[in-house]
Structures are given as structure tokens and as C-alpha cells.
Amino acid sequence: MRSSSRAVGLALGFAADWYFADPRRGHPVAGFGRAASALRKTMYADSRGAGVGYAGALVAGAAAVGGVAERMGRGRPVTQAALTALATWTVLGGTSLRREATAIGSLLSAGDVEAARERLPHLCGRDPSKLDTDEIARAVVESVAENTSDAVVAPLLWGAVAGIPGLLAYRAANTLDAMVGYRNEKYLNFGWAAARLDDVLNYLPARFTGAATVVSAPAILGSPRRTLKVLLRDGGRHPSPNAGRCEASAAGALGLRLGGTNKYGDVVEDRPVMGTGRAPRVADIHRATALSGVVGVVSAGVAVRVAWALGRKG
């Protein structure tokens, strides 16, 4: 039964996210974010050492909570599966990601660019104030591609190999990266540890996302061969060690050209071009969310199989 409880829990948690998305109130990740914000006020200092202590305490704390949950389910397969399902549902965000992207696409289709600009920060951190319709569409497609790994693939894989502690620790690290992992004057040093930890934890999942996108390309009438070609050629050109694999593979599968100039507050970044097709349009948001969903299903299948195999060995 040990071989099946974690696998069943991952499958049930993935299904819960797929059908119910994130709870609108009382989300545990939001609670973690509030606790992290409070701790940041007391621990902040413009140094890497302070940031290491901050990120280490919070990620270790999340892993410890997961360890307690694992012990509660020890010798109780049904309890183990239920707790794993609850943790998986808590940390996944694939359906919310797709719904948010779809909502922005609907606003753009209706010609309400201003409302789309106001909603874009729900997906990414770039400044939307001067983006036109096609530029918002590019931002959405790129964010869906990158966040499919962060919100779905990576937590599933960490849950498969490390159970509930892996699920909670990954989500804690990823949340901290979103909070303090910026290359600006305030967080360049303090957020260094959170950003590097997130890079490490996403290294293999991002590459798996690229491979899963190659496999999933036919679902949106894309070419696996073209997807692989773009992934291998352009995946390493992105300044992030991980995001490029996700965006390049999506560009190949969608037949689009991603990348360009992005503005994050006062910081302007010129991102390398990935893919050789045309620039994204509003209609491509639907295709991107469909691709994200298929990649999530593929990843869930692999994660369940890995969890089952590791459980049998244990």
C-alpha cells in the first residue's frame, strides 16, 4: 500500500486543482506569504547572509510541516493518500494560471485593453502601463509557458520524489522567489538566496517541462520536431537558467516568436528572441493555455508513475 498512497494522493490532488482550482479564501499559500512578509520586516538587511537565514528558516519550516504530515500518515495508507492529495491541491496552480490567462485574453478580445493592463500583474511582474494588445498577448503567452513549470510540473515532480515535505518546501521556495528574488537595489543581496534556491529546485523540472512540451505539441497541432529544434537552439539563450527551456519549447510548439524588451518597474531587459514564427496575437493565448493543460496532464502521469515506483522500492 505504501507504493500506491503517494501516487494516489498526487493524482487526486492534481484532479482537485484541475476541477476546483485554488480556493478563493483562506489559501494556505497566501497565509504563508503573509507570514513571510511579517518575518521579512524583522529580518531584512542588505546582505546575503540575512537572506540566507530568512529563506532557510521559511523553507525548512515548510518542510518540517510536511514531515509532520508524512508521519501522521505513516502506516495509514488512506490517511497518507488524503494528506498528499490535500498538499498537492494546495501547492498546484495550473487551473488558476489558465483561467487568469483566459480572462485577460477575453478582455483583449473585447477591446478592453485598459482592463487587461490592470489584470496582467496577476500573471507577471512586467510594467503593463504602455503595452498594446499584442504586447500583452506576448506577456501572457510567455508567463503561461514559464509558470506551467513553476505552478504544475515542478511541484508534482518534487512531490513524487519527496512527498509532502517536497511539495511544501518547493512551494515555499518558489513563493519567496516571487516575493524577494528581484534584481533591484533593495533585494539584490537579501533576495539572492531565495532566487538561487528557486533556480536549483527548478533546474530539472524546467528541462522536463521542455521535454513534455515536445511530446504535447501535437495536441495543439504543433510539430514535435520543430519544438525540439527550438528548445535545443534557443533554450539556453534566456537570462534565467530555467525559464528559457519553458519559453523556447512553447515557442516551438506554438510556432511563435517570443522574447523582446520587457520593463519591470525601473528595470528594462532585452530578452533574446526564441522561435522563428510570428509574434503572439490574442488568439494564441487560448492555444498557450491548451498546451499548458496538456503538459500538466503529461507531467502528472509521470509523477504518479515515479511515486509508485519509488514507493515499491521503499
Side-chain angles (χ1 to χ4, degrees):
M1 293 296 291
R2 179 181 175 183
S3 64
S4 63
S5 57
R6 181 179 295 177
V8 169
L10 287 171
L12 290 175
F14 179 79
D17 177 70
W18 186 276
Y19 287 106
F20 305 116
D22 294 325
R24 296 185 179 275
R25 295 183 178 180
H27 199 298
V29 175
F32 173 84
R34 289 190 292 271
S37 294
L39 185 61
R40 178 179 55 189
K41 293 177 182 179
T42 62
M43 292 190 66
Y44 176 81
D46 188 16
S47 72
R48 289 187 176 183
V52 168
Y54 172 74
L58 287 166
V59 174
V65 171
V68 171
E70 284 278 351
R71 287 193 293 274
M72 289 173 61
R74 189 169 298 165
R76 302 174 180 176
V78 174
T79 301
Q80 178 87 35
L83 291 172
T84 302
L86 179 61
T88 302
W89 181 34
T90 295
V91 304
L92 293 184
T95 298
S96 293
L97 171 66
R98 295 190 299 274
R99 287 181 179 176
E100 193 61 42
T102 298
I104 296 173
S106 297
L107 291 171
L108 292 175
S109 296
D112 196 344
V113 179
E114 188 58 40
R117 289 185 182 128
E118 292 177 0
R119 194 150 187 169
L120 185 62
H122 295 180
L123 276 182
C124 63
R126 67 187 71 177
D127 181 3
S129 60
K130 296 182 180 180
L131 299 182
D132 62 21
T133 297
D134 288 345
E135 289 170 329
I136 294 173
R138 175 172 73 85
V140 172
V141 170
E142 290 175 354
S143 296
V144 169
E146 179 180 355
N147 287 316
T148 295
S149 180
D150 292 354
V152 184
V153 179
L156 283 171
L157 295 182
W158 279 109
V161 300
I164 300 174
L167 287 163
L168 300 189
Y170 171 78
R171 179 52 61 211
N174 188 249
T175 302
L176 292 177
D177 177 58
M179 293 176 63
V180 301
Y182 298 106
R183 295 180 180 179
N184 56 26
E185 184 177 355
K186 181 176 182 179
Y187 291 122
L188 183 62
N189 290 316
F190 184 74
W192 174 85
R196 296 293 78 75
L197 179 58
D198 185 70
D199 286 343
V200 170
L201 294 179
N202 278 297
Y203 187 86
L204 291 179
R207 284 147 184 82
F208 180 87
T209 301
T213 303
V214 173
V215 173
S216 303
I220 58 163
L221 304 182
S223 165
R225 182 176 180 179
R226 181 184 63 204
T227 304
L228 180 60
K229 180 180 178 180
V230 175
L231 171 61
L232 295 177
R233 186 191 65 204
D234 298 340
R237 300 176 62 190
H238 197 283
S240 164
N242 300 319
R245 272 69 184 183
C246 307
E247 292 186 22
S249 58
L254 295 165
L256 299 176
R257 182 180 70 253
L258 301 179
T261 301
N262 297 336
K263 184 177 181 181
Y264 302 88
D266 296 329
V267 179
V268 177
E269 296 184 4
D270 290 317
R271 298 287 177 82
V273 172
M274 292 174 285
T276 56
R278 59 173 172 78
R281 299 169 186 162
V282 175
D284 295 312
I285 293 176
H286 173 72
R287 298 173 62 229
T289 58
L291 177 63
S292 175
V294 177
V295 170
V297 170
V298 170
S299 301
V302 171
V304 168
R305 184 67 185 88
V306 169
W308 183 281
L310 292 177
R312 289 180 65 86
K313 289 182 179 180

